[in-house]
Amino acid sequence: MKNVIWLVIGVAAGFVVAHEVNKTQQGKQFFTELDTKAREFGEAISEGYRQREAELHAVLGDVTADAAGDAPATSAP
């Protein structure tokens, strides 16, 4: 329980410090650059995920098409 209290105090202190830093011109510039880099990183991760997903769909699409062609036909009674 003591560690949770210190965590909450640390988070609150971080917010206060970040708010005060953001009031300065250099602080605004820092947070703007940080936001830009975080967005670019997120976009790169998202794009990589979409590319890999497309690759896997292409491979699995080929496999499932082959498997469907090899499967014996079943007739309904």
Side-chain angles (χ1 to χ4, degrees):
M1 184 67 180
K2 188 176 179 181
N3 290 336
V4 173
I5 292 171
W6 281 112
L7 175 67
V8 171
I9 290 171
V11 169
F15 277 117
V16 169
V17 169
H19 181 70
E20 292 299 317
V21 169
N22 195 34
K23 289 181 180 180
T24 67
Q25 186 62 29
Q26 288 176 325
K28 287 180 183 180
Q29 182 181 1
F30 170 76
F31 283 119
T32 301
E33 291 174 4
L34 182 65
D35 183 56
T36 301
K37 290 176 183 178
R39 287 180 191 273
E40 289 173 354
F41 178 73
E43 290 171 3
I45 296 293
S46 180
E47 180 61 27
Y49 176 83
R50 283 192 295 271
Q51 287 177 355
R52 183 63 178 152
E53 185 178 33
E55 292 171 3
L56 292 174
H57 279 293
V59 169
L60 292 176
D62 293 343
V63 170
T64 55
D66 291 343
D70 294 342
T74 58
S75 59

